[in-house]
Amino acid sequence: MGYIELNVLNNETSPQAMGIDLGTTNSLAATWKDGRPVVIKPEQAGNGSIPSVIHVAEDGTVLVGRQARDKAMVDPRHTIFSIKRFMGRGIADVQEELKSFPFPVTEDENGVIQVQAHGKAYTPQELSSLILMRVHDLACRSMGGAEIQRAVITVPAYFDDTQRQATRDAARLAGIDVLRIINEPTAASLAYGLDQSAAGTIAVYDLGGGTFDISLLSIEEGVFSVLSTNGDTHLGGDDFDRALAGLAMEGLAEQLSPEELNDPGLHQAARLAGEKCKMELSTRPEADLHVVLPESGVHFRRRVTIEEFDELVAPLVERTLDSCRQALADAELEPSDISEVVMVGGSTRMPCVQAAVENFFGRLPHTELNPDEVVALGAAIQAHILIGGSRDLLLMDVTPLSLGLETVGGAVSKIIARNSTIPCSATEGFTTYADNQTGIEFNILQGERELAKDCRSLGQFKLTGIPPMPAGLARVAVRFHVDADGILTVSSREESTGAKASISITPKNGLTDEAVEKMLADSLTNAREDFEAGRNVGLVAELGTMIRATNKSLPDVEEHLDLETLADIREAIEASQAASAAKVLDGKELQRVRDLLERATMPLAAVLMDGVAKKALAGKSLRDV
Ligand code: ADP
Ligand code: MG
């Protein structure tokens, strides 16, 4: 008897954690494979990036990504974008943004923003969770149905505690186990391996779709700290599109009446034409600005040269440099102190941007990696390290702003200074202000200013149960703890009597643990169901295409297939039709029949390919092949 050799699956090469860049405009995932980070490119998403856009249909069905973005023109009121701007914010924080949003936004009693769509309210956390679900789901599926629950998620360096917590909650709602929340510029620096340089100061220039961020980081023995951040939350690639759209509108003004010029559809078309032209100009000396609206008979074409474009957008580029100057001033640095410059964001592909940054810092910026992939790649490296992967280094971030408490008279007592390396904690002693005071109200503040009213309040809580005693006798210890994700927990204890009270704070504009639990439990309004409904609609469409393609080619190749194969194909088609026509779509069943149909039609595909090959070879002599 001989031995049978077993092919043992090597677990080490299978990816087990991913990094997710949850962007304002686009999101994407990367993982560690064969010793390096790679972007996961699902078939449905082309280059791997998924538009951070959500469409809610009248029946509550949710589409996420490309399909949702396509709805922006036809159904703008229910197409939700830029949700990252709302994360962990209250309605007062986003007044500026609201002006440009076509969908209605309100605030609930806890100060959590709600986006209204078809009578249903969605929090930014839920909406972000839908994007995360889509990114995560496509990534897992494109890796052969792998179940990777653990992920590192990136946020801007300036995100405060509430915004980070909101991101974490979104991931939780999406069923993702968050290994760590890290800063986008830190991730980008990791992707370039800058953590391995002994010491230096890094400038990360991130020009995305709608935002600009400049972050100055210092790196010392593998530890990153944020020296300063600056930027403009309303400056990005969109502005460059609008500049070109403006050119098109000027030209169109000669053809159209003022009424026709006011058509929102025309504006949208001009913007899209602007973006297309802009992108072409990143690799070519001239490109066409081409607006067509067949329904209204609009047709406009104009050639734009790179010189013309550079001049048109020079003021926008200059504004990014103003932010760079400010960031340097805040960190008390000169451009020449910067040892590395890293380019992040799709808009840094523009040659005029690269030239301006090179000129400003006096050194060639890093552009070797794909600028819209670097953040996800860095997050994947970090995820790999956190699950015990090889590249050993200690990665730390710092608190971007000081944290403290409001004291009597509206002053601020800082407990954790800004730029403290996290995780960190600090404890301060407080006492009562009045005789027989049995409770203390704490107001947790974030910011550098001296007065509470000038800082941002992260939340309030009350410590009760202090035994009555004269003022100044009670000893209340308040502990601030910032964990490795930059998330703050505040607890307090009355020490003189040994009485304890532990409190968890409810950040303003954030979700309570109960609220998250409720959302998770609430199957009726559960975002996952809406998401699955959207996915099911996608699967039904995919099945329809597969069935049509099979039916079309079957007659031609039938004679080459054996009876069993034909029976399998017919059976799979019937099962697919039944699953697609079901009153209540069943995601698992749809996926099953899709896979079934794919397997059943493999021999058919083989015969078709064979036919194509034969045709291609026909008439050629052997030597040519
Ligand atoms: P965000 O971080 O805001 O999600 P991205 O980093 O994905 O954004 O950048 C999106 C922006 O990059 C869009 O404005 C897009 O037009 C722009 N962009 C993408 N490719 C190019 C290109 N080849 N040339 C110029 N701009 C580009
Ligand atoms: Mg980005």
Side-chain angles (χ1 to χ4, degrees), residues 23-26 207-211 237-238 241 275 278-279 282 345-347 349-350 372:
T24 314
T25 325
N26 295 303
L207 190 58
T211 56
D238 300 347
D241 305 345
E275 181 172 23
K278 169 190 80 175
M279 288 189 178
S282 288
S347 301
R349 285 217 182 76
M350 287 182 278
D372 28 46

Side-chain angles (χ1 to χ4, degrees), residues 21 23-24 26 84 184 206 208 211 344-345 375:
D21 170 8
T24 314
N26 295 303
K84 189 170 173 179
E184 289 160 12
D206 180 350
T211 56
V344 182
V375 170

Side-chain angles (χ1 to χ4, degrees), residues 542-552 573 576-577 597:
E542 196 181 336
L543 279 173
T545 313
M546 286 169 76
I547 294 173
R548 268 194 305 283
T550 308
N551 284 337
K552 191 162 157 253
I573 289 183
S576 301
Q577 282 166 335
L597 184 58

Side-chain angles (χ1 to χ4, degrees), residues 61 63 67 141 532-548 573 575-594 597:
T61 302
L63 291 176
Q67 289 165 303
R141 279 208 280 160
E532 269 160 13
R535 185 168 88 178
N536 293 346
V537 170
L539 276 170
V540 169
E542 196 181 336
L543 279 173
T545 313
M546 286 169 76
I547 294 173
R548 268 194 305 283
I573 289 183
S576 301
Q577 282 166 335
S580 305
K583 250 208 193 95
V584 182
L585 293 175
D586 175 349
K588 279 221 176 77
E589 174 64 6
L590 285 168
Q591 187 67 43
R592 186 189 74 82
V593 297
R594 200 209 77 96
L597 184 58

